[in-house]
Amino acid sequence: MRVVSGMRPTGKLHLGHYFGVIRNWVKLQEEHECFFFIADWHALTTAYKNTKELRQNIREVMIDWVALGLDPDKSVLFIQSKVKEHAELCLLLGMLTPKSWLELNPTYKDLKYNLLRLVDLEREFKEKLKETVENLLKSLPFQITKEDKFKEHLLENLTQTMIEALFEGEIEPEILKRLNVSKKDFYETDTFGFLGYPVLQTADILIYKGEAVPVGEDQLPHIELSREIARRFNRLYGKIFPEPKALLTETPKIPGTDGRKMSKSYGNAVFFTDTKEEVEKKVMKMFTDPQKIRKNDPGRPEICPVFAWHKLFTKDEELVSQIEQDCRSGKLGCVECKRILLKHLEEFLEPIRERRKELEKNIEELEEKFLRNSEKAREIASATMEEVRKAMNLP
Ligand code: TRP
């Protein structure tokens, strides 16, 4: 089975990346032919204004990947922008991809509204427009055959129009002030490249005839779109592409130090570049059960991020159940519990830190490996493009 996946180089990796994605990739590379790439073009779909850190970010990802166990001699680890064929296929797929598929893509909207902090406003608008849509439906001069679908469509479009009108200053400008977003912010993400994000992602996968795409749940709508685009291509020009499937593997969710989802922007992540001292500081400040105030108060491990981490890092299962018991009974205090965690966390992190250091020292060698792998990827990509051009009667 051929496996393809990518990651945007947005900065240093943290524990969440490892448990959410990389650990799974490391397993897959033992059994399958894997193509994993750094999606630097995708990073530009949102961060096109400031590219100062792009090169360094790419380097950090290369170092982290290999330090975490991805092996450039087993998997094809490469850089997207070094395989120009992705762009050619993206262009051609763009010809046959309806704009509406992209505009209604939930991931596109989520990302965009998240960036603009518009998630709540959109919901509010939608709620308010529901009745309007009902009334509109009654006053239409023709019969609607698929009422539910049509309603949904109408509501979606009306909401989008409202939001655009808001940014154009056609309705209450106070809302924008309150949300602290501007017309400029809106149009900054309203680009051709951002809308076309999933088309490029589809090209990334199809160019290797990828069958399985290991991704997080948030990427499912993108993969569904890739399948639709592949199907449409095959119908129009002949069957060249397999329909890629998302490979959702159960991944233990590792909470951040404050119990929320681990994310750089929340400031609750432990990075592989953190020193021992930094990790210690972060762990000692971790949130625990708020009802366990004094050392001997009984705690609830099931809601405690420290305990969630024990389950991942403390390999001795007996010790983990002892910790669980002693937390519940009030015998074990949080400070002590964190000390035990630190020891096991360090056993995991220290070798990674060491490997990072080695790789950093030989960064040129590592870059060379990624470039050679990009060439390898390119051979397959250009063979696919030959087929595609032929199928489309391009010279
Ligand atoms: N969109 C993916 C993400 O943000 C990254 C990505 C780009 C990708 N191209 C891909 C993932 C192709 C899988 C296949 O996580």
Side-chain angles (χ1 to χ4, degrees):
M1 183 170 73
R2 195 172 269 175
V3 176
V4 180
S5 197
M7 182 184 275
R8 282 174 298 150
T10 49
K12 315 173 284 188
L13 303 199
H14 52 63
L15 291 172
H17 291 108
Y18 179 69
F19 287 101
V21 184
I22 307 288
R23 194 171 67 156
N24 190 26
W25 290 7
V26 172
K27 268 190 221 138
L28 286 166
Q29 82 178 349
E30 298 302 327
E31 285 165 34
H32 303 283
E33 188 190 4
C34 294
F35 291 77
F36 298 126
F37 59 92
I38 301 174
D40 51 348
W41 279 336
H42 274 107
L44 292 180
T45 57
T46 50
Y48 59 90
K49 283 218 160 158
N50 184 358
T51 61
K52 270 209 298 290
E53 277 153 26
L54 189 56
R55 265 171 189 264
Q56 189 50 33
N57 284 347
I58 293 173
R59 258 179 237 127
E60 297 290 347
V61 173
M62 294 196 290
I63 295 170
D64 278 325
W65 277 11
V66 177
L68 291 172
L70 287 173
D71 182 346
D73 296 320
K74 281 186 191 156
S75 303
V76 185
L77 306 181
F78 68 101
I79 300 172
Q80 181 189 38
S81 68
K82 286 288 164 195
V83 187
K84 316 289 179 206
E85 285 77 5
H86 289 223
E88 189 185 358
L89 184 57
C90 175
L91 178 98
L92 296 176
L93 295 179
M95 304 301 171
L96 55 112
T97 305
K99 209 159 107 290
S100 64
W101 287 7
L102 302 174
E103 282 163 347
L104 298 176
N105 177 266
T107 308
Y108 165 73
K109 277 185 43 202
D110 279 1
L111 199 61
K112 179 161 174 161
Y113 287 176
N114 260 326
L115 278 173
L116 294 169
R117 299 181 292 278
L118 288 181
V119 180
D120 294 330
L121 187 73
E122 193 217 4
R123 203 173 309 127
E124 193 184 319
F125 276 3
K126 256 200 177 141
E127 214 33 63
K128 288 189 179 149
L129 288 167
K130 264 197 185 134
E131 210 183 303
T132 316
V133 167
E134 294 289 343
N135 290 333
L136 211 84
L137 224 64
K138 282 182 209 135
S139 62
L140 287 178
F142 25 68
Q143 203 61 39
I144 309 297
T145 41
K146 293 182 183 163
E147 200 174 286
D148 283 350
K149 261 219 152 131
F150 183 68
K151 258 195 235 169
E152 205 182 298
H153 203 157
L154 213 55
L155 188 59
E156 185 62 46
N157 279 316
L158 264 178
T159 310
Q160 301 305 315
T161 308
M162 283 281 284
I163 286 175
E164 265 164 48
L166 184 74
F167 281 101
E168 284 301 327
E170 292 160 19
I171 47 178
E172 300 183 48
E174 295 76 36
I175 302 180
L176 285 187
K177 277 211 202 97
R178 172 162 59 83
L179 292 170
N180 199 18
V181 280
S182 66
K183 180 168 172 172
K184 193 167 138 269
D185 296 330
F186 180 74
Y187 287 104
E188 239 166 56
T189 57
D190 207 35
T191 61
F192 180 57
F194 190 45
L195 180 66
Y197 187 116
V199 184
L200 180 57
Q201 179 159 343
T202 303
D204 295 338
I205 301 165
L206 297 189
I207 203 141
Y208 303 106
K209 304 195 178 181
E211 295 156 296
V213 189
V215 283
E217 199 145 339
D218 62 311
Q219 293 291 311
L220 286 182
H222 279 159
I223 307 302
E224 190 48 42
L225 211 74
S226 294
R227 297 167 62 78
E228 275 163 27
I229 295 173
R231 223 174 286 144
R232 192 165 163 111
F233 182 99
N234 288 343
R235 189 153 29 78
L236 291 169
Y237 308 110
K239 188 164 176 4
I240 291 188
F241 299 121
E243 286 174 28
K245 283 192 194 60
L247 209 61
L248 276 183
T249 336
E250 244 184 88
T251 46
K253 288 273 174 297
I254 176 163
T257 52
D258 59 359
R260 290 187 289 173
K261 181 183 153 115
M262 192 180 286
S263 158
K264 185 163 106 184
S265 55
Y266 288 159
N268 63 2
V270 166
F271 296 92
F272 299 107
T273 47
D274 287 349
T275 61
K276 191 173 174 201
E277 291 70 32
E278 284 168 321
V279 173
E280 178 170 352
K281 243 198 221 149
K282 287 181 183 181
V283 168
M284 294 320 283
K285 276 200 220 147
M286 275 178 83
F287 285 33
T288 54
D289 180 354
Q291 285 177 18
K292 186 170 163 69
I293 299 164
R294 264 171 249 106
K295 172 175 179 286
N296 296 110
D297 289 342
R300 294 167 295 171
E302 66 277 9
I303 62 155
C304 179
V306 175
F307 187 69
W309 288 27
H310 268 300
K311 283 196 281 189
L312 295 170
F313 299 107
T314 305
K315 290 282 172 264
D316 179 352
E317 279 177 34
E318 261 169 55
L319 180 56
V320 177
S321 41
Q322 194 61 48
I323 289 169
E324 184 172 9
Q325 263 180 37
D326 292 351
C327 170
R328 260 186 231 292
S329 70
K331 194 167 149 203
L332 180 66
C334 295
V335 174
E336 170 77 23
C337 180
K338 286 173 174 177
R339 288 263 161 238
I340 305 172
L341 172 64
L342 253 178
K343 177 170 163 280
H344 294 96
L345 180 57
E346 273 305 314
E347 275 166 20
F348 173 77
L349 287 175
E350 186 50 28
I352 295 170
R353 240 179 250 131
E354 284 303 311
R355 280 200 293 277
R356 274 196 118 266
K357 258 189 231 140
E358 275 309 300
L359 291 160
E360 237 159 25
K361 254 192 267 160
N362 303 309
I363 184 72
E364 269 136 49
E365 196 183 310
L366 186 64
E367 284 183 313
E368 191 51 45
K369 276 205 172 139
F370 270 72
L371 288 183
R372 251 183 285 134
N373 269 326
S374 302
E375 280 306 314
K376 213 157 103 205
R378 196 160 189 196
E379 275 171 34
I380 297 167
S382 55
T384 307
M385 281 318 295
E386 287 286 332
E387 276 184 78
V388 168
R389 282 184 220 111
K390 196 155 162 247
M392 294 178 81
N393 296 313
L394 285 161

